[in-house]
Amino acid sequence: MKTFAKKKLLLVEDDPIIQTIEVNALNKYGYQIIVASTGQEAIDIVENSREIDLILMDIDLGSNSLDGTETAQIILFNHDIPIVFLSSHTEPEIVEKTEKITSYGYVVKSSHIAVLDASIKMAFKLFDAHQKLLESEEKFKQVYDNTLDNIFILEITDDRRYKVIGLNPAEEALVSEYGKLINTYLDESIPEDLYREVKKNYERCALGRRIISYEEVFHGQNFYTQLIPVKNPKGEIYRIIGIARNISELYSEN
C-alpha cells in the first residue's frame, strides 16, 4: 500500500476504542501516530515537539476537557500546523464553529479510512500551497518596502474612480505634499489638472486591458512608468499597479 512519506500525525481523540481503531488504520496507510486524549494533552505535546506534521482533532473531547475548537485555537496561536477536524456531528452549527478557525478539512468519523486518508493528503497540499503563498508575499513585501522605484496600487471603483490602496515608502515620500493618500480618491486628493493628466493613462491601461509604459515629468523629475492591469476572478480589471523609475540622471548625462 502506498505510504505518505511517514508523516507524523497527532490524533486527538478521547474515546480509547475509536483511538485504537484509527491508529491501526492510519498506521496501515504509512502514517506515524501520536495520540492525545484531552485538549491540554494535545497542547503539551505540540509545545514539546517540533515534529508534528498535522493534527487530527476530535471536536467533542468530553466534559472535563477543552473541546477541539478551543484546543485548535490555542495551538494555532503559537504554531502553524495544519488541522483536520474529526466529528460524528454534521449539524451546521458544529461545522460553523470550525469554519472560524484556520483548518484544512472536516471529516465525519463514520467515513471510510480512504476518505480520511484523502482528506489528510489534501490538507498537506493546501498547507504547502499556503506556505508558498506566504513566502511569495514576504518576498514581494521586501521589494515593495525597500526598492527605490515608486510603487502605487489603485482600486477602480464601479463608477470609474481611482482609489489609492497602496503606496510604497518611495512613492509615499514623493507625493507627501498631498498628505496621506491611502484610502482616498485621486480626484479628491490631487490637483484637478494633474488628475486629468494621470487619468488618461489609467484609462488606457484599464480599458485597453494591457500593460502600458510611458515617460512623465513630476516635480521636475523624469520617470519611466509602467501600469499593470489586475483582473478579479470574473476577469474584470479592478486594480492597477503602477511602477515608476526615476530616470532623471539619464537626462542630466545628455
Side-chain angles (χ1 to χ4, degrees), residues 164-205:
V164 181
I165 60 171
L167 296 173
N168 78 332
E171 178 70 7
E172 198 166 10
L174 183 68
V175 299
S176 59
E177 68 176 271
Y178 304 122
K180 295 291 184 182
L181 294 184
I182 292 293
N183 294 322
T184 66
Y185 293 94
L186 281 180
D187 57 350
E188 296 177 347
S189 307
I190 63 176
E192 185 178 347
D193 57 342
L194 176 59
Y195 177 70
R196 282 199 304 268
E197 190 63 32
V198 297
K199 183 181 178 182
K200 293 176 185 177
N201 291 314
Y202 300 157
E203 294 289 284
R204 280 203 299 135
C205 174

Side-chain angles (χ1 to χ4, degrees), residues 146-159:
N146 297 301
T147 182
L148 296 178
D149 290 339
N150 301 76
I151 302 175
F152 55 91
I153 305 173
L154 305 174
E155 182 177 283
I156 305 172
T157 62
D158 292 338
D159 55 353

Side-chain angles (χ1 to χ4, degrees), residues 26 29 31 56 84 86 105-123:
L26 289 165
Y29 273 73
Y31 299 107
L56 295 172
V84 174
L86 302 175
Y106 185 100
V107 180
V108 178
K109 285 186 180 181
S110 59
S111 301
H112 191 277
I113 182 60
V115 174
L116 178 57
D117 177 53
S119 299
I120 291 170
K121 288 181 169 64
M122 179 58 70

Side-chain angles (χ1 to χ4, degrees), residues 13-202:
E13 169 61 62
D14 67 318
D15 187 312
I17 296 176
I18 294 176
Q19 191 180 95
T20 301
I21 292 172
E22 291 181 344
V23 168
N24 290 337
L26 289 165
N27 279 336
K28 290 179 181 178
Y29 273 73
Y31 299 107
Q32 299 180 61
I33 309 299
I34 298 174
V35 296
S37 300
T38 68
Q40 187 59 54
E41 186 180 357
I43 292 167
D44 292 341
I45 289 172
V46 173
E47 288 297 326
N48 292 299
S49 173
R50 297 186 178 276
E51 298 180 354
I52 304 298
D53 296 303
L54 179 143
I55 300 173
L56 295 172
M57 181 73 72
D58 184 16
I59 292 179
D60 186 0
L61 294 173
S63 58
N64 295 322
S65 171
L66 297 164
D67 70 22
T69 56
E70 294 168 331
T71 303
Q73 287 175 316
I74 293 171
I75 289 173
L76 292 175
F77 186 79
N78 291 316
H79 304 275
D80 194 7
I81 301 175
I83 293 178
V84 174
F85 284 105
L86 302 175
S87 179
S88 56
H89 299 280
T90 57
E91 298 90 339
E93 59 270 19
I94 301 295
V95 178
E96 186 178 344
K97 285 180 69 176
T98 68
E99 291 175 347
K100 298 175 183 178
I101 303 167
T102 303
S103 70
Y104 289 82
Y106 185 100
V107 180
V108 178
K109 285 186 180 181
S110 59
S111 301
H112 191 277
I113 182 60
V115 174
L116 178 57
D117 177 53
S119 299
I120 291 170
K121 288 181 169 64
M122 179 58 70
F124 278 124
K125 290 178 181 177
L126 291 173
F127 182 73
D128 184 55
H130 179 63
Q131 294 302 110
K132 289 178 179 176
L133 178 61
L134 290 178
E135 290 173 9
S136 167
E137 289 176 345
E138 179 59 28
K139 288 177 182 176
F140 174 77
K141 187 176 187 304
Q142 289 297 324
V143 173
Y144 184 83
D145 287 342
N146 297 301
T147 182
L148 296 178
D149 290 339
N150 301 76
I151 302 175
F152 55 91
I153 305 173
L154 305 174
E155 182 177 283
I156 305 172
T157 62
D158 292 338
D159 55 353
R160 306 299 306 173
R161 297 173 72 192
Y162 297 93
K163 184 178 182 180
V164 181
I165 60 171
L167 296 173
N168 78 332
E171 178 70 7
E172 198 166 10
L174 183 68
V175 299
S176 59
E177 68 176 271
Y178 304 122
K180 295 291 184 182
L181 294 184
I182 292 293
N183 294 322
T184 66
Y185 293 94
L186 281 180
D187 57 350
E188 296 177 347
S189 307
I190 63 176
E192 185 178 347
D193 57 342
L194 176 59
Y195 177 70
R196 282 199 304 268
E197 190 63 32
V198 297
K199 183 181 178 182
K200 293 176 185 177
N201 291 314
Y202 300 157

